Amino acid sequence: MDTCLGLSVVVPVLNEIASLDELIRRSLRACKDTGRSHELILVDDGSTDGSSEKILAAAEAHRGGVVGVILNRNYGQHAAVMAGFDVSRGRLVVTLDADLQNPPEEIPRLVAKMDAGFDVVGTVRVPRRDTLFRRLASRTVNAAARRSTGVDMHDYGCMLRGYSRAVVDAMLRCRERSTFIPVLANTFAKRTTEIEVRHNNRPGGDSKYSLWRLVNLQFDLLTSMTTAPLRFLSAIGVCLSGAGLALGFLLMGLRLLHGPEWAVQGVFTLFAALFFFVGAQFVAMGLMGEYIGRIYEDVRARPRYFVERIVGLEPGLRESSDLQGCT
Ligand code: UDP
Ligand code: MG
C-alpha cells in the first residue's frame, strides 16, 4: 500500500443495523481523539438486514474516513476481520465488534499502549456481561491458548484489540482458512500486554453465535493452536497395547498356577491379544496423524519467521524487506 495512516479500525458486521449509526459516530470520534490520521473499515459479512447499504452510505458520507468492504456472503467473523486487514493501511490496527458491547471510546487507551512499544494489546472484559455457559467455555479456551502460545493473556475472546502493522502483515501471510485471530497474532508477537476494558450488554440485535457455531469456533481455535490431539492417538495406542501385554503375562502366570480351566479355555487370552492389536492400530493411526499434522503445518504456509530489521546490508543489493510496510 502506498499511503499510510496512523490508525485503522476494523469492524466485522453481520446484521447489526441497530447499532451501525451509533458505532460509526462513536468510533470516528474515538479515532479523532487519538489525534492521528485514521480510517474506519467496516466489513459486511453477508448481512441481510440492510447493513451493507448503510455501510456504503457511510463510506460515501465520510469519504476517506470510512471504508466499506462488502463480502458476497457470510464467511465468519475472523475471515471478515482478515478481509479488513487486507485493505487496512494503518501503522496500528485495532479490531472492534460492531455490537457496541465494547465501547469504541477505549480505542485511545489501546493506541497509547501500542505507542509504548507493544505489538499486541489484548483486553480483559470487566465486568463480563455474558451467560455462565459462555464464561465457562471461554475460561477453558483461554487456559488452552495460554499454554499453546506461551503468551499469558486472560481473555482471548474479546475482539477489541490492537495489533502492530508487522503482526497484521504476518497474519495476512498465513494461508490457512480457519483462523482465530487473537491466537494467531500472539504467535507472531514479541511484546504483548493487556488492559481492562468495559463490557456492556448487547444494546440491540442478538449474538451471532449459536451453540453450533460456538462449537465450530472452538475447533477452529484448537486446530489453529496445536496438532496435539493427533498425538493422543499414539498415546492411547501405547497404553492399550501395554495393558494387553501386561494382561497376557498375568494370564500366563495365573494359568500355570491354577490350570487351564481357570482361564475359561483361552477366552481371557483372547482379550489380551485383542487389547494388544487394537492398541497397535491406534499407534498406527497416531503415526499417520503425525504425518497429517506435518502436512497441515505445511499447507497453512505460515511464515517461518519474520524479520524485524536488517542492518549492514549494502545499499542497492536488496531494496527493502517485506516488513517495512509503512515505517
Ligand atoms: N460477526 C460477523 N460474522 C459472523 C458472526 C459475527 O461479522 O459470522 C460479527 C458481528 O456482527 C459482531 C462480531 O462479529 O460485530 C461479534 O459477534 P457477536 O457480538 O455476535 O459475538 P459475541 O459477542 O456473542 O461473542
Ligand atoms: Mg458481541
Side-chain angles (χ1 to χ4, degrees):
M1 295 278 166
D2 40 347
T3 14
C4 289
L5 300 169
L7 171 69
S8 300
V9 177
V10 175
V11 187
V13 178
L14 174 62
N15 298 335
E16 305 280 6
I17 193 122
S19 56
L20 261 183
D21 281 329
E22 194 182 335
L23 170 87
I24 295 170
R25 189 171 47 76
R26 285 169 61 185
S27 307
L28 285 178
R29 165 147 298 279
C31 288
K32 247 187 221 121
D33 287 346
T34 64
R36 57 192 76 195
S37 54
H38 57 263
E39 61 182 356
L40 172 65
I41 302 173
L42 299 167
V43 186
D44 178 64
D45 188 20
S47 300
T48 50
D49 67 345
S51 295
S52 53
E53 286 75 15
K54 199 155 234 175
I55 290 174
L56 291 175
E60 197 59 47
H62 305 267
R63 278 212 160 269
V66 174
V67 178
V69 177
I70 314 293
L71 303 183
N72 66 336
R73 51 156 288 180
N74 178 254
Y75 291 98
Q77 179 184 0
H78 293 260
V81 173
M82 278 293 192
F85 282 164
D86 220 357
V87 299
S88 69
R89 291 167 297 163
R91 288 191 344 104
L92 306 178
V93 181
V94 169
T95 56
L96 175 71
D97 280 351
D99 57 3
L100 294 172
Q101 282 191 279
N102 290 118
E105 286 72 28
E106 309 272 9
I107 293 175
R109 284 179 58 218
L110 275 177
V111 170
K113 273 279 175 202
M114 306 283 304
D115 284 344
F118 292 102
D119 303 315
V120 172
V121 181
T123 46
V124 185
R125 295 169 273 191
V126 279
R128 176 119 187 232
R129 304 250 183 237
D130 273 320
T131 57
L132 182 68
F133 171 72
R134 287 295 302 267
R135 288 204 303 265
L136 276 181
S138 42
R139 183 168 292 195
T140 337
V141 165
N142 291 331
R146 273 208 296 277
R147 287 197 57 167
S148 110
T149 59
V151 176
D152 195 19
M153 278 201 179
H154 297 90
D155 193 353
Y156 276 91
C158 186
M159 284 299 280
L160 173 58
R161 304 170 91 83
Y163 307 103
S164 68
R165 181 83 248 162
V167 169
V168 170
D169 283 344
M171 287 194 273
L172 283 173
R173 287 180 47 184
C174 297
R175 309 263 38 114
E176 67 232 53
R177 263 134 233 256
S178 316
T179 35
F180 195 87
I181 288 168
V183 172
L184 188 61
N186 276 358
T187 55
F188 296 112
K190 185 159 142 200
R191 294 191 65 207
T192 62
T193 185
E194 277 179 316
I195 59 173
E196 291 192 344
V197 294
R198 276 168 295 144
H199 192 232
N200 305 315
N201 286 321
R202 229 177 195 282
D206 293 322
S207 171
K208 304 297 175 295
Y209 283 102
S210 60
L211 183 61
W212 179 242
R213 291 195 72 171
L214 262 186
V215 170
N216 252 332
L217 191 71
Q218 306 306 332
F219 274 114
D220 277 353
L221 179 64
L222 178 78
T223 52
S224 78
M225 286 191 297
T226 174
T227 51
L230 293 174
R231 199 157 283 167
F232 279 148
L233 290 174
S234 310
I236 294 174
V238 170
C239 291
L240 274 180
S241 283
L245 269 183
L247 184 63
F249 282 122
L250 182 73
L251 287 176
M252 215 187 314
L254 289 175
R255 191 185 171 287
L256 288 179
L257 269 183
H258 302 294
E261 274 76 57
W262 176 84
V264 207
Q265 312 296 353
V267 173
F268 285 178
T269 321
L270 209 61
F271 271 113
L274 195 71
F275 267 126
F276 180 75
F277 284 113
V278 169
Q281 271 173 1
F282 268 100
V283 172
M285 277 199 282
L287 259 182
M288 279 197 274
E290 291 293 324
Y291 283 98
I292 292 173
R294 279 160 183 73
I295 294 170
Y296 179 58
E297 295 289 337
D298 273 359
V299 293
R300 286 201 295 197
R302 285 186 181 177
R304 250 191 230 116
Y305 53 79
F306 233 83
V307 178
E308 191 171 290
R309 204 166 9 164
I310 299 176
V311 290
L313 205 65
E314 292 263 322
L317 279 184
R318 218 163 94 194
E319 292 288 51
S320 66
S321 95
D322 279 333
L323 192 120
Q324 249 86 64
C326 304
T327 45

